[in-house]
Amino acid sequence: MTNIAILGFGVVGGGTAELITKNKDEVAALGGDTVNIKYILDLRDFPNSPLGDRVVHDFEQILSDPEIDTVIEVMGGSHPAYEYTAAALRAGKNVITSNKEVVATYGDELLEIAREAGVSYRFEAAVGGGIPVISPIIGFIRQNRITEVRGILNGTTNYILTKMFTLGESFEASLADAQSRGYAERNPDADILGLDAARKIAILAALVTDRLYPTDAIHTEGIVGIRAADVSAADKLGRQIKLLGRCIIPEGGSPFIMVAPFLLPSDAPLSTVSGVYNAVEVLGEPIGSAMFFGPGAGAAPTASAVVGDLMQIMRSGTRCATPSFTRGDAAIKASFEGFVSRHYLAFPEGARKDLLNAFVGATEIEAVGECAIVTEYLSESELNERLAALGVAPLSHIRLL
Ligand code: HSE
C-alpha cells in the first residue's frame, strides 16, 4: 500500500481524492499498488465527506510520518506551499503539484532539493491542466532540436476571445459571461493580464532551454485592450486573435519568451482551439509540429494529471524522465527588443497620412472611422522608434504569427 497526503481539499484536492477513490482499481493496476489517502491537510473540517476522518490541520503530522511516501500539494498560492514542498522533499517524500506559481518561481530550487534527497518533484498539472505535455516534452520530444514551444495556456482568456469572435461581443461582456459561468474569477487580473500564461510559458520554456526565467522578465501582455474593431480587422485578414505563450529558440541566440495576443492564420492548428480548451504546440527538427490539446483547467482534468504523476512515481520512481533546469538570467527581458514580426496597428483616422509615411510598404486594412495597417517585418525596437517619431499612441497593436 502506498500512503499519500493531499495538501488542500479545494477544487483540485477534492477532484484528486475522488479520482483515486472512484478509480481505485485502475489506479492500483497502473501504479502497481493500492493508494491510501492517509491525510488531507486543510484549515477546514469536512464532517460530511467520506474522507473527513483523514483531515488534519498540522503539516508536521504529515512530515513526521515515515509511512507517507508522496505528498500532493494542491493548495495554491506560493506560501506556505513552497515551504511545505521543500520540507517534504528534504524529508524524503515525493511531491506532486498543480501549483504553477510555485513551480514558475521556485521550480529550479525544488528540483535540486528533490535530486539531492533522491525523490521526485513532478508538476504535470501545472501547465495545460489535464493535457499531458510536460512528460511528453521531456520524455519523447527533447531529442529534437526544439525551435519553439507555444500555446494557448489560459482557458479563461481563450473563452473570452472565442465569445468576442463568434458572437461579436465586447471584451467586457465576454468577461462578465466567463465570470457568470465560473470560468473567470471575480478578480480576473491574473488571467486577463497574462500573468497565469506567463507562469506556464516560463515552465514550458524551462523544459526546452534548461533555464527557468523569472516570470517578470517575460514580456507579458494580456487581452484587456482588444476591441471589437480588432476582431473585425482579424476577420478581414482571415485570422483569429489568440493569447499565446511563446518561447522561440533561435540557433545560437537567446530565447524570445513572451505572452501576448497574436493574429493567427485561420488554418493554423492553434486557431482551431476554442472555448476554455488549451493547446501546446512544439516545433522542432526533425519532428516538425506536434500539438497537444485538451481541457486546461477544472477539478477532473487537473486531478487526472496529478494522478498521472503519481502513477509515474509508483511505477518508476526517480528513474522516469524528470525535468532539470537552473535559474535563467532576468536580462532576457531586454532581448525581446530584437524579436521580429509583422504588426497590426490601428490609429485614429487623423493619423493616416503620417502613419502611411512612417510605415512605407505596410498594407492598409479597411476600417471604419480609423486607420489600420499591417507592417512589414520589424523588430520591436524598430517599431518603437517609428511609433515614438510618429508621436501618436496606437489604438491597437497586435503582432502576426
Ligand atoms: N485560470 C486558469 C485558466 C486556470 O483559465 O487557464 C488553470 O490554470
Side-chain angles (χ1 to χ4, degrees), residues 18-65:
E18 188 175 327
L19 197 164
I20 290 171
T21 310
K22 280 199 177 151
N23 291 19
K24 64 177 188 315
D25 294 341
E26 289 84 352
V27 165
L30 192 56
D33 195 7
T34 55
V35 174
N36 175 43
I37 303 170
K38 188 167 181 184
Y39 303 112
I40 295 170
L41 182 77
D42 206 285
L43 294 170
R44 301 159 293 177
D45 282 307
F46 296 86
N48 299 324
S49 163
L51 295 171
D53 59 338
R54 322 289 166 94
V55 174
V56 296
H57 306 299
D58 183 3
F59 177 63
E60 288 302 319
Q61 198 174 337
I62 295 168
L63 197 61
S64 60
D65 186 339

mmCIF file of all heavy atoms in Angstrom, residues 18-65:
data_model
loop_
_atom_site.group_PDB
_atom_site.id
_atom_site.type_symbol
_atom_site.label_atom_id
_atom_site.label_comp_id
_atom_site.label_asym_id
_atom_site.label_seq_id
_atom_site.Cartn_x
_atom_site.Cartn_y
_atom_site.Cartn_z
ATOM 1 N N GLU A 18 -11.224 12.189 -5.269
ATOM 2 C CA GLU A 18 -12.337 11.475 -5.917
ATOM 3 C C GLU A 18 -11.822 10.506 -6.982
ATOM 4 O O GLU A 18 -12.267 9.360 -7.063
ATOM 5 C CB GLU A 18 -13.292 12.499 -6.542
ATOM 6 C CG GLU A 18 -14.561 11.854 -7.053
ATOM 7 C CD GLU A 18 -15.570 12.882 -7.559
ATOM 8 O OE1 GLU A 18 -15.615 14.002 -7.006
ATOM 9 O OE2 GLU A 18 -16.291 12.550 -8.511
ATOM 10 N N LEU A 19 -10.852 10.963 -7.773
ATOM 11 C CA LEU A 19 -10.319 10.086 -8.825
ATOM 12 C C LEU A 19 -9.640 8.849 -8.209
ATOM 13 O O LEU A 19 -9.861 7.716 -8.642
ATOM 14 C CB LEU A 19 -9.314 10.865 -9.683
ATOM 15 C CG LEU A 19 -8.937 10.299 -11.056
ATOM 16 C CD1 LEU A 19 -8.259 11.349 -11.900
ATOM 17 C CD2 LEU A 19 -8.059 9.082 -10.976
ATOM 18 N N ILE A 20 -8.835 9.092 -7.166
ATOM 19 C CA ILE A 20 -8.115 7.978 -6.529
ATOM 20 C C ILE A 20 -9.106 6.992 -5.903
ATOM 21 O O ILE A 20 -8.906 5.772 -5.940
ATOM 22 C CB ILE A 20 -7.123 8.522 -5.467
ATOM 23 C CG1 ILE A 20 -5.969 9.246 -6.171
ATOM 24 C CG2 ILE A 20 -6.597 7.402 -4.573
ATOM 25 C CD1 ILE A 20 -5.050 10.012 -5.239
ATOM 26 N N THR A 21 -10.195 7.534 -5.353
ATOM 27 C CA THR A 21 -11.177 6.672 -4.676
ATOM 28 C C THR A 21 -12.043 5.930 -5.703
ATOM 29 O O THR A 21 -12.190 4.704 -5.637
ATOM 30 C CB THR A 21 -12.077 7.546 -3.765
ATOM 31 O OG1 THR A 21 -11.239 8.368 -2.964
ATOM 32 C CG2 THR A 21 -12.952 6.704 -2.875
ATOM 33 N N LYS A 22 -12.601 6.702 -6.657
ATOM 34 C CA LYS A 22 -13.530 6.071 -7.614
ATOM 35 C C LYS A 22 -12.823 5.130 -8.580
ATOM 36 O O LYS A 22 -13.364 4.096 -8.955
ATOM 37 C CB LYS A 22 -14.252 7.162 -8.421
ATOM 38 C CG LYS A 22 -15.403 7.784 -7.679
ATOM 39 C CD LYS A 22 -16.340 8.482 -8.654
ATOM 40 C CE LYS A 22 -17.546 9.046 -7.931
ATOM 41 N NZ LYS A 22 -18.091 10.220 -8.590
ATOM 42 N N ASN A 23 -11.614 5.508 -9.003
ATOM 43 C CA ASN A 23 -10.895 4.682 -9.979
ATOM 44 C C ASN A 23 -9.820 3.844 -9.285
ATOM 45 O O ASN A 23 -8.738 3.654 -9.819
ATOM 46 C CB ASN A 23 -10.253 5.566 -11.054
ATOM 47 C CG ASN A 23 -11.270 6.216 -11.967
ATOM 48 O OD1 ASN A 23 -12.442 6.300 -11.623
ATOM 49 N ND2 ASN A 23 -10.840 6.686 -13.122
ATOM 50 N N LYS A 24 -10.124 3.348 -8.093
ATOM 51 C CA LYS A 24 -9.074 2.674 -7.315
ATOM 52 C C LYS A 24 -8.516 1.439 -8.026
ATOM 53 O O LYS A 24 -7.326 1.156 -7.920
ATOM 54 C CB LYS A 24 -9.545 2.352 -5.899
ATOM 55 C CG LYS A 24 -10.684 1.372 -5.778
ATOM 56 C CD LYS A 24 -10.962 1.115 -4.299
ATOM 57 C CE LYS A 24 -11.955 0.017 -4.039
ATOM 58 N NZ LYS A 24 -13.166 0.031 -4.864
ATOM 59 N N ASP A 25 -9.348 0.747 -8.799
ATOM 60 C CA ASP A 25 -8.854 -0.446 -9.490
ATOM 61 C C ASP A 25 -7.884 -0.064 -10.610
ATOM 62 O O ASP A 25 -6.823 -0.667 -10.761
ATOM 63 C CB ASP A 25 -10.026 -1.261 -10.070
ATOM 64 C CG ASP A 25 -10.888 -1.845 -8.959
ATOM 65 O OD1 ASP A 25 -10.385 -1.928 -7.811
ATOM 66 O OD2 ASP A 25 -12.061 -2.178 -9.219
ATOM 67 N N GLU A 26 -8.258 0.982 -11.382
ATOM 68 C CA GLU A 26 -7.379 1.439 -12.468
ATOM 69 C C GLU A 26 -6.069 1.970 -11.883
ATOM 70 O O GLU A 26 -4.985 1.710 -12.415
ATOM 71 C CB GLU A 26 -8.059 2.556 -13.275
ATOM 72 C CG GLU A 26 -9.221 2.108 -14.152
ATOM 73 C CD GLU A 26 -10.559 1.997 -13.417
ATOM 74 O OE1 GLU A 26 -10.566 2.119 -12.169
ATOM 75 O OE2 GLU A 26 -11.575 1.765 -14.082
ATOM 76 N N VAL A 27 -6.196 2.718 -10.780
ATOM 77 C CA VAL A 27 -5.012 3.310 -10.143
ATOM 78 C C VAL A 27 -4.081 2.194 -9.639
ATOM 79 O O VAL A 27 -2.871 2.225 -9.861
ATOM 80 C CB VAL A 27 -5.445 4.255 -8.993
ATOM 81 C CG1 VAL A 27 -4.280 4.601 -8.081
ATOM 82 C CG2 VAL A 27 -6.076 5.529 -9.568
ATOM 83 N N ALA A 28 -4.659 1.188 -9.010
ATOM 84 C CA ALA A 28 -3.838 0.084 -8.477
ATOM 85 C C ALA A 28 -3.178 -0.695 -9.611
ATOM 86 O O ALA A 28 -2.005 -1.078 -9.528
ATOM 87 C CB ALA A 28 -4.697 -0.843 -7.617
ATOM 88 N N ALA A 29 -3.942 -0.912 -10.698
ATOM 89 C CA ALA A 29 -3.389 -1.681 -11.820
ATOM 90 C C ALA A 29 -2.235 -0.928 -12.471
ATOM 91 O O ALA A 29 -1.175 -1.505 -12.756
ATOM 92 C CB ALA A 29 -4.485 -1.958 -12.843
ATOM 93 N N LEU A 30 -2.410 0.376 -12.666
ATOM 94 C CA LEU A 30 -1.375 1.150 -13.359
ATOM 95 C C LEU A 30 -0.200 1.463 -12.436
ATOM 96 O O LEU A 30 0.961 1.429 -12.850
ATOM 97 C CB LEU A 30 -1.993 2.457 -13.897
ATOM 98 C CG LEU A 30 -1.177 3.261 -14.884
ATOM 99 C CD1 LEU A 30 -0.772 2.424 -16.096
ATOM 100 C CD2 LEU A 30 -1.982 4.482 -15.362
ATOM 101 N N GLY A 31 -0.505 1.747 -11.169
ATOM 102 C CA GLY A 31 0.554 2.111 -10.223
ATOM 103 C C GLY A 31 1.252 0.896 -9.619
ATOM 104 O O GLY A 31 2.314 1.017 -9.028
ATOM 105 N N GLY A 32 0.639 -0.273 -9.754
ATOM 106 C CA GLY A 32 1.248 -1.497 -9.214
ATOM 107 C C GLY A 32 1.038 -1.646 -7.711
ATOM 108 O O GLY A 32 1.660 -2.500 -7.071
ATOM 109 N N ASP A 33 0.157 -0.858 -7.121
ATOM 110 C CA ASP A 33 -0.070 -0.909 -5.678
ATOM 111 C C ASP A 33 -1.364 -0.148 -5.382
ATOM 112 O O ASP A 33 -1.762 0.721 -6.156
ATOM 113 C CB ASP A 33 1.106 -0.216 -4.959
ATOM 114 C CG ASP A 33 1.163 -0.521 -3.473
ATOM 115 O OD1 ASP A 33 0.381 -1.378 -2.999
ATOM 116 O OD2 ASP A 33 1.986 0.121 -2.787
ATOM 117 N N THR A 34 -1.986 -0.454 -4.256
ATOM 118 C CA THR A 34 -3.151 0.340 -3.862
ATOM 119 C C THR A 34 -2.672 1.663 -3.257
ATOM 120 O O THR A 34 -1.568 1.737 -2.712
ATOM 121 C CB THR A 34 -4.028 -0.395 -2.827
ATOM 122 O OG1 THR A 34 -3.190 -0.746 -1.743
ATOM 123 C CG2 THR A 34 -4.675 -1.623 -3.417
ATOM 124 N N VAL A 35 -3.525 2.681 -3.384
ATOM 125 C CA VAL A 35 -3.175 4.002 -2.858
ATOM 126 C C VAL A 35 -4.099 4.313 -1.694
ATOM 127 O O VAL A 35 -5.322 4.205 -1.808
ATOM 128 C CB VAL A 35 -3.314 5.084 -3.950
ATOM 129 C CG1 VAL A 35 -3.103 6.477 -3.358
ATOM 130 C CG2 VAL A 35 -2.315 4.831 -5.078
ATOM 131 N N ASN A 36 -3.506 4.711 -0.584
ATOM 132 C CA ASN A 36 -4.288 5.086 0.593
ATOM 133 C C ASN A 36 -4.083 6.574 0.877
ATOM 134 O O ASN A 36 -2.948 7.021 1.075
ATOM 135 C CB ASN A 36 -3.827 4.254 1.800
ATOM 136 C CG ASN A 36 -4.531 4.683 3.077
ATOM 137 O OD1 ASN A 36 -5.743 4.923 3.077
ATOM 138 N ND2 ASN A 36 -3.777 4.810 4.159
ATOM 139 N N ILE A 37 -5.189 7.325 0.852
ATOM 140 C CA ILE A 37 -5.095 8.748 1.227
ATOM 141 C C ILE A 37 -5.103 8.785 2.754
ATOM 142 O O ILE A 37 -6.146 8.681 3.399
ATOM 143 C CB ILE A 37 -6.275 9.559 0.640
ATOM 144 C CG1 ILE A 37 -6.315 9.415 -0.884
ATOM 145 C CG2 ILE A 37 -6.157 11.032 1.037
ATOM 146 C CD1 ILE A 37 -7.568 9.976 -1.540
ATOM 147 N N LYS A 38 -3.902 8.902 3.321
ATOM 148 C CA LYS A 38 -3.811 8.808 4.784
ATOM 149 C C LYS A 38 -4.171 10.134 5.446
ATOM 150 O O LYS A 38 -4.768 10.140 6.531
ATOM 151 C CB LYS A 38 -2.394 8.361 5.182
ATOM 152 C CG LYS A 38 -2.272 8.056 6.671
ATOM 153 C CD LYS A 38 -0.990 7.323 7.019
ATOM 154 C CE LYS A 38 -0.951 7.040 8.529
ATOM 155 N NZ LYS A 38 0.304 6.426 8.947
ATOM 156 N N TYR A 39 -3.759 11.238 4.826
ATOM 157 C CA TYR A 39 -4.067 12.557 5.405
ATOM 158 C C TYR A 39 -4.535 13.516 4.321
ATOM 159 O O TYR A 39 -4.075 13.457 3.174
ATOM 160 C CB TYR A 39 -2.825 13.200 6.021
ATOM 161 C CG TYR A 39 -2.125 12.405 7.087
ATOM 162 C CD1 TYR A 39 -0.850 11.881 6.840
ATOM 163 C CD2 TYR A 39 -2.699 12.199 8.337
ATOM 164 C CE1 TYR A 39 -0.172 11.165 7.818
ATOM 165 C CE2 TYR A 39 -2.026 11.485 9.323
ATOM 166 C CZ TYR A 39 -0.764 10.964 9.051
ATOM 167 O OH TYR A 39 -0.097 10.263 10.009
ATOM 168 N N ILE A 40 -5.398 14.427 4.737
ATOM 169 C CA ILE A 40 -5.745 15.593 3.908
ATOM 170 C C ILE A 40 -5.528 16.812 4.792
ATOM 171 O O ILE A 40 -6.136 16.912 5.871
ATOM 172 C CB ILE A 40 -7.210 15.525 3.427
ATOM 173 C CG1 ILE A 40 -7.417 14.326 2.490
ATOM 174 C CG2 ILE A 40 -7.602 16.829 2.729
ATOM 175 C CD1 ILE A 40 -8.866 14.033 2.151
ATOM 176 N N LEU A 41 -4.646 17.704 4.358
ATOM 177 C CA LEU A 41 -4.371 18.905 5.162
ATOM 178 C C LEU A 41 -5.267 20.045 4.692
ATOM 179 O O LEU A 41 -5.276 20.382 3.507
ATOM 180 C CB LEU A 41 -2.903 19.323 5.009
ATOM 181 C CG LEU A 41 -2.489 20.535 5.838
ATOM 182 C CD1 LEU A 41 -2.281 20.141 7.305
ATOM 183 C CD2 LEU A 41 -1.213 21.172 5.280
ATOM 184 N N ASP A 42 -6.000 20.619 5.606
ATOM 185 C CA ASP A 42 -6.817 21.787 5.269
ATOM 186 C C ASP A 42 -7.099 22.547 6.555
ATOM 187 O O ASP A 42 -7.016 21.980 7.656
ATOM 188 C CB ASP A 42 -8.136 21.365 4.589
ATOM 189 C CG ASP A 42 -8.694 22.462 3.698
ATOM 190 O OD1 ASP A 42 -9.238 23.454 4.229
ATOM 191 O OD2 ASP A 42 -8.573 22.341 2.460
ATOM 192 N N LEU A 43 -7.409 23.838 6.408
ATOM 193 C CA LEU A 43 -7.764 24.629 7.591
ATOM 194 C C LEU A 43 -9.152 24.243 8.096
ATOM 195 O O LEU A 43 -9.466 24.382 9.270
ATOM 196 C CB LEU A 43 -7.761 26.134 7.238
ATOM 197 C CG LEU A 43 -6.403 26.734 6.869
ATOM 198 C CD1 LEU A 43 -6.581 28.146 6.323
ATOM 199 C CD2 LEU A 43 -5.484 26.739 8.089
ATOM 200 N N ARG A 44 -9.975 23.759 7.138
ATOM 201 C CA ARG A 44 -11.364 23.464 7.476
ATOM 202 C C ARG A 44 -11.539 21.996 7.863
ATOM 203 O O ARG A 44 -10.677 21.170 7.594
ATOM 204 C CB ARG A 44 -12.253 23.755 6.257
ATOM 205 C CG ARG A 44 -12.177 25.180 5.759
ATOM 206 C CD ARG A 44 -12.644 25.293 4.319
ATOM 207 N NE ARG A 44 -11.750 24.610 3.380
ATOM 208 C CZ ARG A 44 -11.962 24.508 2.081
ATOM 209 N NH1 ARG A 44 -13.033 25.003 1.544
ATOM 210 N NH2 ARG A 44 -11.080 23.875 1.310
ATOM 211 N N ASP A 45 -12.703 21.678 8.451
ATOM 212 C CA ASP A 45 -13.103 20.286 8.673
ATOM 213 C C ASP A 45 -14.163 19.919 7.644
ATOM 214 O O ASP A 45 -14.869 20.794 7.135
ATOM 215 C CB ASP A 45 -13.669 20.108 10.085
ATOM 216 C CG ASP A 45 -12.547 20.037 11.108
ATOM 217 O OD1 ASP A 45 -11.637 19.206 10.916
ATOM 218 O OD2 ASP A 45 -12.562 20.842 12.060
ATOM 219 N N PHE A 46 -14.247 18.634 7.315
ATOM 220 C CA PHE A 46 -15.225 18.179 6.327
ATOM 221 C C PHE A 46 -16.012 17.010 6.910
ATOM 222 O O PHE A 46 -15.838 15.856 6.494
ATOM 223 C CB PHE A 46 -14.498 17.775 5.034
ATOM 224 C CG PHE A 46 -13.787 18.931 4.370
ATOM 225 C CD1 PHE A 46 -12.499 19.280 4.752
ATOM 226 C CD2 PHE A 46 -14.437 19.692 3.407
ATOM 227 C CE1 PHE A 46 -11.842 20.356 4.170
ATOM 228 C CE2 PHE A 46 -13.785 20.770 2.821
ATOM 229 C CZ PHE A 46 -12.495 21.112 3.198
ATOM 230 N N PRO A 47 -16.877 17.308 7.897
ATOM 231 C CA PRO A 47 -17.575 16.217 8.591
ATOM 232 C C PRO A 47 -18.471 15.386 7.680
ATOM 233 O O PRO A 47 -18.727 14.212 7.970
ATOM 234 C CB PRO A 47 -18.395 16.957 9.668
ATOM 235 C CG PRO A 47 -18.440 18.393 9.244
ATOM 236 C CD PRO A 47 -17.224 18.635 8.430
ATOM 237 N N ASN A 48 -18.930 15.977 6.575
ATOM 238 C CA ASN A 48 -19.843 15.225 5.696
ATOM 239 C C ASN A 48 -19.126 14.465 4.578
ATOM 240 O O ASN A 48 -19.763 13.776 3.790
ATOM 241 C CB ASN A 48 -20.875 16.178 5.079
ATOM 242 C CG ASN A 48 -21.715 16.840 6.160
ATOM 243 O OD1 ASN A 48 -22.024 16.191 7.163
ATOM 244 N ND2 ASN A 48 -22.041 18.108 5.976
ATOM 245 N N SER A 49 -17.804 14.608 4.511
ATOM 246 C CA SER A 49 -17.072 13.905 3.459
ATOM 247 C C SER A 49 -16.709 12.504 3.928
ATOM 248 O O SER A 49 -16.362 12.298 5.092
ATOM 249 C CB SER A 49 -15.786 14.678 3.133
ATOM 250 O OG SER A 49 -14.891 13.847 2.433
ATOM 251 N N PRO A 50 -16.778 11.501 3.009
ATOM 252 C CA PRO A 50 -16.338 10.150 3.406
ATOM 253 C C PRO A 50 -14.862 10.125 3.808
ATOM 254 O O PRO A 50 -14.412 9.185 4.468
ATOM 255 C CB PRO A 50 -16.584 9.308 2.153
ATOM 256 C CG PRO A 50 -17.004 10.237 1.068
ATOM 257 C CD PRO A 50 -17.292 11.584 1.649
ATOM 258 N N LEU A 51 -14.115 11.159 3.413
ATOM 259 C CA LEU A 51 -12.700 11.218 3.795
ATOM 260 C C LEU A 51 -12.476 12.205 4.949
ATOM 261 O O LEU A 51 -11.346 12.585 5.238
ATOM 262 C CB LEU A 51 -11.849 11.633 2.583
ATOM 263 C CG LEU A 51 -11.836 10.636 1.418
ATOM 264 C CD1 LEU A 51 -11.144 11.227 0.198
ATOM 265 C CD2 LEU A 51 -11.162 9.329 1.831
ATOM 266 N N GLY A 52 -13.580 12.612 5.591
ATOM 267 C CA GLY A 52 -13.496 13.611 6.665
ATOM 268 C C GLY A 52 -12.571 13.180 7.800
ATOM 269 O O GLY A 52 -11.928 14.026 8.452
ATOM 270 N N ASP A 53 -12.465 11.856 8.016
ATOM 271 C CA ASP A 53 -11.611 11.375 9.124
ATOM 272 C C ASP A 53 -10.115 11.467 8.789
ATOM 273 O O ASP A 53 -9.274 11.242 9.648
ATOM 274 C CB ASP A 53 -11.978 9.925 9.489
ATOM 275 C CG ASP A 53 -11.811 8.977 8.315
ATOM 276 O OD1 ASP A 53 -11.829 9.435 7.143
ATOM 277 O OD2 ASP A 53 -11.642 7.764 8.554
ATOM 278 N N ARG A 54 -9.798 11.780 7.533
ATOM 279 C CA ARG A 54 -8.368 11.902 7.164
ATOM 280 C C ARG A 54 -7.862 13.336 7.334
ATOM 281 O O ARG A 54 -6.684 13.602 7.152
ATOM 282 C CB ARG A 54 -8.129 11.519 5.692
ATOM 283 C CG ARG A 54 -8.942 10.368 5.169
ATOM 284 C CD ARG A 54 -8.477 9.052 5.758
ATOM 285 N NE ARG A 54 -9.479 8.014 5.507
ATOM 286 C CZ ARG A 54 -9.459 7.186 4.482
ATOM 287 N NH1 ARG A 54 -8.502 7.257 3.597
ATOM 288 N NH2 ARG A 54 -10.395 6.269 4.349
ATOM 289 N N VAL A 55 -8.784 14.265 7.600
ATOM 290 C CA VAL A 55 -8.414 15.678 7.605
ATOM 291 C C VAL A 55 -7.596 16.014 8.858
ATOM 292 O O VAL A 55 -7.979 15.665 9.983
ATOM 293 C CB VAL A 55 -9.678 16.579 7.530
ATOM 294 C CG1 VAL A 55 -9.306 18.054 7.680
ATOM 295 C CG2 VAL A 55 -10.406 16.349 6.202
ATOM 296 N N VAL A 56 -6.459 16.649 8.621
ATOM 297 C CA VAL A 56 -5.610 17.134 9.720
ATOM 298 C C VAL A 56 -5.320 18.615 9.473
ATOM 299 O O VAL A 56 -5.496 19.124 8.366
ATOM 300 C CB VAL A 56 -4.283 16.340 9.831
ATOM 301 C CG1 VAL A 56 -4.543 14.884 10.191
ATOM 302 C CG2 VAL A 56 -3.477 16.443 8.537
ATOM 303 N N HIS A 57 -4.881 19.293 10.531
ATOM 304 C CA HIS A 57 -4.638 20.740 10.419
ATOM 305 C C HIS A 57 -3.176 21.104 10.626
ATOM 306 O O HIS A 57 -2.829 22.275 10.534
ATOM 307 C CB HIS A 57 -5.513 21.486 11.432
ATOM 308 C CG HIS A 57 -6.969 21.145 11.308
ATOM 309 N ND1 HIS A 57 -7.703 21.386 10.169
ATOM 310 C CD2 HIS A 57 -7.822 20.541 12.170
ATOM 311 C CE1 HIS A 57 -8.937 20.960 10.340
ATOM 312 N NE2 HIS A 57 -9.033 20.431 11.544
ATOM 313 N N ASP A 58 -2.349 20.101 10.927
ATOM 314 C CA ASP A 58 -0.949 20.391 11.239
ATOM 315 C C ASP A 58 -0.046 19.656 10.237
ATOM 316 O O ASP A 58 -0.007 18.410 10.215
ATOM 317 C CB ASP A 58 -0.657 19.924 12.677
ATOM 318 C CG ASP A 58 0.765 20.253 13.094
ATOM 319 O OD1 ASP A 58 1.499 20.886 12.303
ATOM 320 O OD2 ASP A 58 1.140 19.857 14.219
ATOM 321 N N PHE A 59 0.683 20.412 9.434
ATOM 322 C CA PHE A 59 1.546 19.810 8.412
ATOM 323 C C PHE A 59 2.614 18.910 9.033
ATOM 324 O O PHE A 59 3.037 17.918 8.428
ATOM 325 C CB PHE A 59 2.186 20.919 7.565
ATOM 326 C CG PHE A 59 3.152 20.398 6.545
ATOM 327 C CD1 PHE A 59 2.732 19.570 5.519
ATOM 328 C CD2 PHE A 59 4.501 20.727 6.620
ATOM 329 C CE1 PHE A 59 3.630 19.075 4.576
ATOM 330 C CE2 PHE A 59 5.407 20.237 5.686
ATOM 331 C CZ PHE A 59 4.968 19.404 4.659
ATOM 332 N N GLU A 60 3.051 19.249 10.267
ATOM 333 C CA GLU A 60 4.101 18.456 10.938
ATOM 334 C C GLU A 60 3.701 16.987 11.070
ATOM 335 O O GLU A 60 4.544 16.098 11.045
ATOM 336 C CB GLU A 60 4.390 19.034 12.333
ATOM 337 C CG GLU A 60 5.148 20.359 12.309
ATOM 338 C CD GLU A 60 6.499 20.253 11.578
ATOM 339 O OE1 GLU A 60 7.201 19.247 11.764
ATOM 340 O OE2 GLU A 60 6.811 21.176 10.796
ATOM 341 N N GLN A 61 2.401 16.753 11.234
ATOM 342 C CA GLN A 61 1.907 15.379 11.382
ATOM 343 C C GLN A 61 2.216 14.568 10.117
ATOM 344 O O GLN A 61 2.571 13.390 10.188
ATOM 345 C CB GLN A 61 0.390 15.436 11.626
ATOM 346 C CG GLN A 61 -0.181 14.178 12.219
ATOM 347 C CD GLN A 61 -1.651 14.332 12.568
ATOM 348 O OE1 GLN A 61 -2.157 15.448 12.772
ATOM 349 N NE2 GLN A 61 -2.352 13.219 12.642
ATOM 350 N N ILE A 62 2.100 15.210 8.978
ATOM 351 C CA ILE A 62 2.385 14.550 7.699
ATOM 352 C C ILE A 62 3.892 14.387 7.519
ATOM 353 O O ILE A 62 4.394 13.323 7.164
ATOM 354 C CB ILE A 62 1.776 15.387 6.541
ATOM 355 C CG1 ILE A 62 0.248 15.390 6.658
ATOM 356 C CG2 ILE A 62 2.242 14.886 5.184
ATOM 357 C CD1 ILE A 62 -0.464 16.398 5.778
ATOM 358 N N LEU A 63 4.597 15.467 7.817
ATOM 359 C CA LEU A 63 6.053 15.485 7.618
ATOM 360 C C LEU A 63 6.747 14.417 8.454
ATOM 361 O O LEU A 63 7.703 13.783 8.008
ATOM 362 C CB LEU A 63 6.570 16.885 8.000
ATOM 363 C CG LEU A 63 7.943 17.264 7.519
ATOM 364 C CD1 LEU A 63 8.016 17.266 6.002
ATOM 365 C CD2 LEU A 63 8.309 18.659 8.060
ATOM 366 N N SER A 64 6.257 14.226 9.672
ATOM 367 C CA SER A 64 6.965 13.312 10.582
ATOM 368 C C SER A 64 6.485 11.866 10.447
ATOM 369 O O SER A 64 6.981 10.989 11.150
ATOM 370 C CB SER A 64 6.782 13.792 12.029
ATOM 371 O OG SER A 64 5.401 13.787 12.329
ATOM 372 N N ASP A 65 5.547 11.600 9.545
ATOM 373 C CA ASP A 65 5.044 10.236 9.398
ATOM 374 C C ASP A 65 5.858 9.503 8.331
ATOM 375 O O ASP A 65 5.725 9.788 7.134
ATOM 376 C CB ASP A 65 3.558 10.269 9.007
ATOM 377 C CG ASP A 65 2.948 8.866 8.973
ATOM 378 O OD1 ASP A 65 3.719 7.879 8.851
ATOM 379 O OD2 ASP A 65 1.720 8.762 9.056
#
